[in-house]
Amino acid sequence: MKELTTGDQKKLLLIDDDPNLILLVRDYLEFRGYQVVTAGNGREALDVLGGLVPDMIICDVMMPEMDGYAFVEQVRQDPGKSWIPILFLSAKGQSQDRVKGLTTGADVYMVKPFEPEELVAQVESSLKQASRLIHHQTKSGSSAPTIQVPFDVELTPTELKVVQFVARGMANREIADELKVSQRTIESHVSNMLGKTGLHNRTELARWAMENNKA
């Protein structure tokens, strides 16, 4: 008998080009009470999102046609879906890989192989956080909670340029082309700004920049 209480029938979108991993993870999450919709790559997942708004997205990084980075950037630029928690699954576990995943817009970065129980714990934690934000928005009557950042944060002139492009919804590679530098340089600037502000991802960084007239 399936455990139907843990997931409370939350809808998850699972994206991976490995059918064996899809089968394993889907079965485990469905056993825990979640509804799971699957896609084989980012482009297929965008088609799924055209008719479905999941409570959370679990996404592989390296996939054909459209990888996880490009997919997440697309989702974060869609006002109707930018709030969805995203968990990256990747075989790459180096520090720079984690930084790139988080600065691209993922909320959680997990390295393969992983324990199914850890995945469930991360999913439940992310869903609870999203629920708290929604509750706060409803209670306060505002469209989004105020971004809390230390008052004495100072950005360099280059960081100001980068954050202005981030606020316009441009991807890291587009900003790199605009400023004629490498994409890794832009990722480093975004990472530095996240460290200074204590924010979690590009979406929060863009909101903070707009709310404080930096973009």
Side-chain angles (χ1 to χ4, degrees), residues 17-18 25 38 65 86 96 113 116 119 129 135 202 215:
D17 62 329
D18 182 348
V25 174
T38 64
E65 294 192 48
I86 298 177
Q96 61 266 31
L119 175 63
Q129 183 177 15
H135 176 73
R202 288 167 55 94

Side-chain angles (χ1 to χ4, degrees), residues 29-193:
L29 290 171
E30 287 181 344
F31 179 78
R32 298 301 293 260
Y34 294 97
Q35 297 179 36
V36 182
V37 179
T38 64
N41 59 60
R43 196 167 302 283
E44 185 180 329
L46 288 178
D47 291 337
V48 172
L49 287 176
L52 168 74
V53 180
D55 294 288
M56 185 171 180
I57 296 170
I58 301 171
C59 182
D60 187 24
V61 173
M62 305 308 294
M63 297 180 291
E65 294 192 48
M66 178 183 283
D67 66 16
Y69 298 128
F71 168 74
V72 169
E73 288 177 346
Q74 290 278 338
V75 173
R76 291 303 185 221
Q77 292 171 25
D78 184 341
K81 299 180 176 67
S82 62
W83 60 270
I84 300 174
I86 298 177
L87 185 154
F88 259 156
L89 296 177
S90 176
K92 295 184 175 182
Q94 297 297 317
S95 176
Q96 61 266 31
D97 298 315
R98 294 174 182 271
V99 168
K100 182 175 181 179
L102 295 172
T103 57
T104 298
D107 300 288
V108 181
Y109 190 102
M110 286 187 64
V111 179
K112 303 176 184 177
F114 53 85
E115 292 295 329
E117 285 292 344
E118 182 185 1
L119 175 63
V120 170
Q122 291 284 12
V123 167
E124 292 177 352
S125 175
S126 296
L127 289 172
K128 287 177 182 177
Q129 183 177 15
S131 178
R132 286 195 297 269
L133 288 175
I134 293 171
H135 176 73
H136 178 82
Q137 293 168 16
T138 304
K139 186 177 180 180
S140 65
S142 61
S143 59
T146 302
I147 294 289
Q148 299 293 331
V149 169
F151 73 92
D152 58 348
V153 169
E154 291 187 9
L155 302 183
T156 67
T158 302
E159 288 172 345
L160 280 172
K161 288 181 183 178
V162 172
V163 81
Q164 288 168 4
F165 288 125
V166 170
R168 285 162 54 183
M170 293 176 65
N172 287 343
R173 62 179 178 275
E174 295 173 323
I175 301 173
D177 291 341
E178 187 74 24
L179 297 181
K180 295 180 173 54
V181 297
S182 70
Q183 183 172 330
R184 183 174 292 276
T185 297
I186 299 303
E187 291 165 1
S188 178
H189 284 309
V190 172
S191 177
N192 287 340
M193 287 188 285

